[in-house]
Amino acid sequence: MSETDLIIIGAGPAGLAAARMAADCGLAVLLLDEQRAAGGQIYRNVDGVSDAEAAVLGKDYLSGRKLTSALAHPKIQHFHHAVVWQVSGDCRVSYSIDGNGTTVAGRALLIATGAVERPMPIPGWTLPGVMTAGAAQILLKQSGVAAANAVLAGSGPLLYLVASQLCRAGQPPRALVETQGPRDLAGALRHGAGALRGWKYPLKGLGLLAELRRAGVERHTGARDIRIEGNDRTEVLTFKTRSGFKRIDCRTVLLHHGVVPNTQITRSVEIEHRWDVGQSCFVPARDDWGRTSLERVFVAGDGGGIGGAEAAALKGRLSALAAACDLGYLEASAKDEAARPIRRALAKEMAARPFIDMAYPPYREALIPGDGTIICRCEEIDAAEIRRCVSLGCEGPNQTKAYCRAGMGACQGRYCGLTVTNILSDELGRSPDEVGYYRIRAPLKPVTLGELAAMHEDKTEGIQT
Amino acid sequence: MKADSDFQILGRLKSQVSIIFDGNAVQVRQGGNLAAELLAAGITTFRRTPKSGAQRGPFCMMGACYDCLVSIDGIVRQSCMLTAEDGLVVERAGPGAGTDE
């Protein structure tokens, strides 16, 4: 089995920044990422886009090139298209590249697997033509493909960004249907001082809104009872606002109401997680270096709590410094010294976060959906079936799996886990921490028996030598 | 087919090749992301669910949701994680295609 100092999973901003910082400290770094090029979802394909696509995506996106170009370092080995399917708490990672499986041992491990869209189960969300707003953005970044006449629904700054990018691509969205109301903004303004310190984010939001106004994009706020209907595909989106019932004919709906940490790997190695009330999601417990409850296992970036791309890079650097110190490459005093400016930048970066979280809360009806709405997309389990499990005595998400198969499908609970916890918490009158989450087991991604068998042969050879 | 698509390719068209989707020839960009190319070609249904037979298409585009599954050489795979290559033969994934674990 090959060995290295630091294994980093995920080549988004946290993983990229950590890789360079660790390499600069002298560590041998193995960076594993399942995409075809570095950048994560936020900087996806940043080195591959055309000039025309770059103009659509904007300056912030292109700034990711600073991180990807910093990978050129003799101490960094970057494997792309590497699908990680097993991680153990002693820093061993099994992955496959084009169907060839292997296991590598690290002296330390950094999990930097970022965020996924917060599941937004509403009636009709499984119909073809419904995607996440993030998916529409990936289509732009990866493929230069723009969703035409789309309706964007939900809440959060990403909706404005995707809408304005679609405008620049010559495909202005049909409408923006937002769930937050004036009361959310009023509450958020109590964090006005924080927002001022992190001024660039609210300012950016206002700029995007002005751009959408100029493009004439229809905008509704305070939307509730959002439904998507269609016969075998998306045909219409309906909702209610204070001014009444609305109906928009459309073939593409892009959903978004925030992102949440991707906890598949951190859950699988049984790191402690706790419920973050402000962000309505589970986060792996970590100290301010990204250390977890497991020795030499770190979490950095949005996977450890949502802070955005720039905060992710800063957190990645802090974890790299701590790993360098733990492995004897850096004195504790030098680590603290190097961390000081990073922490200052991080504090500034996070200042606007409470304001953003309060101004754009998740869509309530999608946190605890009504009966009839599909919760588990893979197994097609609706909210009524989850509630029926509770009436039969089910006390936690792992029992729900056995009672009704929710979370047992191909996505392994990625798009139903939080909703199941929320529904159980609501029905049982217990906190999400008490209710808990699915137990996540390897393989984290599908792996064929052929791959496993081939690995076994490798191991035998290793013993002989 | 392109004119009907809800997904428009920006800028110039790169070299086009032909793949087979459910028995029909589809023009796509060589080396493009398979899910994106199929969407741009106007295809909306990528698979049917094993339980109810409901139609599904790409949802997350980042390898997490498993709704863009297609069958290639009898193996069910995520089309958003694949590359379109000349002559690729792709089938809709569906009941009995082995999507269930």
Side-chain angles (χ1 to χ4, degrees), chain A residues 260-331:
Chain A
V260 297
N262 174 3
T263 58
Q264 294 299 113
I265 291 177
T266 52
R267 285 277 177 194
S268 77
V269 290
E270 298 184 343
I271 284 171
E272 286 171 31
H273 290 65
R274 58 174 178 76
W275 185 257
D276 183 318
V277 175
Q279 299 193 332
S280 306
C281 59
F282 284 110
V283 294
R286 50 196 289 288
D287 72 5
D288 60 4
W289 297 99
R291 287 195 178 93
T292 66
S293 52
L294 293 176
E295 205 181 345
R296 290 189 181 174
V297 178
F298 297 80
V299 175
D302 275 359
I306 303 305
E310 294 192 33
L314 296 166
K315 290 174 182 171
R317 290 191 182 106
L318 291 174
S319 290
L321 290 172
C325 183
D326 289 359
L327 299 185
Y329 285 91
L330 198 63
E331 297 287 333

Side-chain angles (χ1 to χ4, degrees), chain A residues 1 455-465:
Chain A
M1 191 185 307
M455 283 179 70
H456 187 70
E457 286 159 23
D458 284 351
K459 207 179 275 175
T460 319
E461 282 166 26
I463 290 164
Q464 284 165 349
T465 50

